[in-house]
Amino acid sequence: MQIYSFLFKWKKNCQPNFKKKVSLQFVRTVYVCSNQLVASFEEAKKNRMSQIENELETSRLLRDWYRIHKRELPWRESSDPYLIWISEIILQQTRVVQGYDYFVRFIERFPDVKTLAEADEDEVMKFWQGLGYYSRARNLHAAARSMNGVFPKTYSGVLGLKGVGEYTAAAICSFAYNMPYAVVDGNVYRVLSRYLGIETAIDSTEGKKLFASLADELLDKAQPAVYNQAIMDFGAIQCTPQAPACLFCPLADSCMALAKGKVQQLPVKQHKTKTTNRYLNYIYVRAGAYTFINKRTENDIWKNLFELPLIETAESITEEAFLALPEFTELFVGGEVPMVRLVCRDVKHVLSHRVLYANFYEVSLPEETASFSSYLKVRTDELEQYAVPKLIHAFLEKYV
């Protein structure tokens, strides 16, 4: 009624020539619109309050779940940003169960930034051997050398480290410094897309922005470290990619994907990884107590790792065709007659974007051979000192 009374007073005090044009109907229309506007604001306020309550309840449920089910991991017992950084880089492309032992060994040898920075890259690569995605190890080493012995204490400083993206920076800053930055990894994408019923592709530009915004909105700003760890563990243990435990899920009552029967369809990805096949023919040389290896230096898979002498072909070839290749015959000096045997064939090794098919040959030569002169001659019993790809390591373990 206050608005209605105001409008009548305003009409009464208007200039005569304007007053005539202002009808009672106009006043009533303005009054109704004003009431509708107020009601809309009140409804929006009510909805927002309800949304906030839901967000707080979701956060509470996740934290309660985490207190019971959280994984006991060594890097969670510390707020040291260096330890958290190493763990996050290891876990970028590695499951916790696989990465745990690597983390322990890596930290025992490189316990701080200074030790890692002063180490030789070949040694760092050796301690990374078997984890794959070796650019991670090279970036770790380069980043450590850029710190001058002191780990950055700001989000921008952490984000500026080589090999550190927004997710890793958010994880380090929230876990080490309790800064309010939301993490968005594969587990978080899965939890949010299912819980909120979002069908926007997580690998699209729109999807990345949407999920980053939602993660930030849902983040418990008072307890960012606990909340981030809770939602990540929830995705890893409860809301798993296959066979999620929906029956015992604390969020089941409000999960949109469960209500719509779309748990297995979410999250959505728009792009499938394209893979290419490569055909590798490795030569293991027995030259008395010695063998030959080579360091990969090109911008290709396994950069800066060592491997056996290699001849790559465009397709899979027979043993007879391989032995007739000029690239093979040119490895031997005149007069030397090698003994050659095929050890194993078509060993399949899958990388993220490539499928490798490897043949392994054994070549026997005298210890003082002049062949393979462009390769590094090493004692066979010292091969363990060199960082090699998992494919090569598996062969050496089984056959040498």
Side-chain angles (χ1 to χ4, degrees):
M1 290 302 295
Q2 288 180 346
I3 294 176
Y4 205 31
S5 175
F6 166 77
L7 289 172
F8 269 115
K9 289 179 180 178
W10 170 73
K11 181 176 182 293
K12 183 178 180 181
N13 294 327
C14 284
Q15 295 294 331
N17 59 340
F18 181 67
K19 183 178 177 180
K20 294 177 182 177
K21 298 179 182 179
V22 180
S23 65
L24 181 60
Q25 181 61 39
F26 171 78
V27 174
R28 288 173 176 167
T29 301
V30 173
Y31 172 70
V32 170
C33 291
S34 299
N35 278 348
Q36 290 176 343
L37 185 60
V38 170
S40 297
F41 277 124
E42 289 298 325
E43 183 65 22
K45 181 180 178 182
K46 182 180 178 181
N47 290 340
R48 180 55 183 154
M49 291 301 293
S50 176
Q51 181 182 356
I52 292 173
E53 289 175 3
N54 290 337
E55 291 170 1
L56 291 174
E57 178 64 8
T58 301
S59 175
R60 184 190 66 78
L61 289 171
L62 285 172
R63 285 186 278 109
D64 288 348
W65 177 93
Y66 179 67
R67 276 193 288 270
I68 299 170
H69 301 284
K70 72 175 181 178
R71 295 172 290 185
E72 299 297 333
L73 303 170
W75 49 87
R76 285 184 175 169
E77 306 304 318
S78 171
S79 59
D80 183 342
Y82 172 78
L83 300 183
I84 295 168
W85 173 50
I86 299 299
S87 72
E88 287 299 326
I89 298 300
I90 287 177
L91 296 179
Q92 279 179 358
Q93 301 288 346
T94 308
R95 292 180 296 111
V96 169
V97 67
Q98 179 189 4
Y100 183 95
D101 290 339
Y102 282 95
F103 171 82
V104 173
R105 286 197 297 270
F106 198 90
I107 292 301
E108 284 178 352
R109 174 59 189 90
F110 312 110
D112 50 43
V113 170
K114 185 174 183 293
T115 308
L116 179 58
E118 292 175 349
D120 182 77
E121 186 184 89
D122 284 344
E123 185 182 13
V124 175
M125 298 296 280
K126 180 62 182 176
F127 274 83
W128 200 267
Q129 179 179 298
L131 275 172
Y133 297 90
Y134 291 93
S135 61
R136 293 182 294 170
R138 294 193 297 271
N139 290 339
L140 270 178
H141 194 226
R145 289 187 166 181
S146 72
M147 293 183 203
N148 296 319
V150 180
F151 201 92
K153 291 182 172 57
T154 64
Y155 176 80
S156 60
V158 175
L159 186 60
L161 296 175
K162 189 169 185 179
V164 173
E166 292 181 354
Y167 157 73
T168 304
I172 294 170
C173 288
S174 66
F175 300 160
Y177 306 130
N178 209 36
M179 293 181 181
Y181 290 95
V183 298
V184 187
D185 70 347
N187 290 318
V188 176
Y189 275 124
R190 186 165 57 257
V191 172
L192 294 183
S193 65
R194 288 175 174 173
Y195 182 61
L196 300 174
I198 299 172
E199 299 185 25
T200 305
I202 63 174
D203 55 347
S204 65
T205 301
E206 179 188 359
K208 290 176 181 178
K209 290 180 180 179
L210 173 61
F211 281 97
S213 175
L214 289 171
D216 183 67
E217 185 173 341
L218 290 169
L219 176 67
D220 185 342
K221 304 297 194 297
Q223 303 179 72
V226 174
Y227 174 83
N228 279 335
Q229 289 171 335
I231 194 170
M232 291 167 67
D233 266 16
F234 189 81
I237 300 172
Q238 185 83 29
C239 193
T240 55
Q242 303 297 326
C246 298
L247 185 62
F248 307 102
C249 178
L251 303 181
D253 289 345
S254 49
C255 178
M256 296 297 294
L258 185 60
K260 296 178 180 180
K262 291 188 173 183
V263 172
Q264 293 300 333
Q265 285 75 49
L266 297 176
V268 174
K269 285 187 177 181
Q270 65 177 0
H271 298 303
K272 289 188 176 180
T273 302
K274 293 182 179 179
T275 60
T276 56
N277 295 338
R278 293 176 66 170
Y279 302 92
L280 313 178
N281 300 277
Y282 281 110
I283 306 166
Y284 173 68
V285 181
R286 287 189 184 273
Y290 293 86
T291 190
F292 295 89
I293 57 176
N294 180 58
K295 189 173 186 178
R296 297 178 65 93
T297 56
E298 300 296 324
N299 288 322
D300 194 6
I301 59 172
W302 304 329
K303 183 179 179 181
N304 291 352
L305 294 183
F306 290 86
E307 65 180 353
L308 303 175
L310 167 68
I311 297 175
E312 185 169 352
T313 53
E315 59 185 9
S316 180
I317 60 174
T318 65
E319 180 179 356
E320 293 76 15
F322 174 73
L323 298 180
L325 288 175
E327 298 95 319
F328 178 73
T329 58
E330 290 169 0
L331 292 170
F332 305 94
V333 297
E336 286 194 340
V337 180
M339 293 180 59
V340 183
R341 73 181 183 95
L342 176 62
V343 179
C344 50
R345 180 176 178 80
D346 291 332
V347 178
K348 185 177 180 180
H349 187 72
V350 180
L351 303 178
S352 59
H353 295 81
R354 300 171 182 85
V355 179
L356 310 180
Y357 295 93
N359 299 330
F360 288 88
Y361 294 86
E362 180 184 276
V363 170
S364 297
L365 290 168
E367 187 166 300
E368 300 304 322
T369 180
S371 300
F372 291 86
S373 57
S374 62
Y375 293 87
L376 177 64
K377 189 175 184 178
V378 299
R379 289 186 60 85
T380 304
D381 58 7
E382 294 177 354
L383 275 173
E384 188 61 29
Q385 299 177 14
Y386 297 88
V388 298
K390 192 173 183 179
L391 174 64
I392 303 299
H393 185 263
F395 169 80
L396 296 175
E397 284 280 294
K398 186 172 183 178
Y399 294 103
V400 176

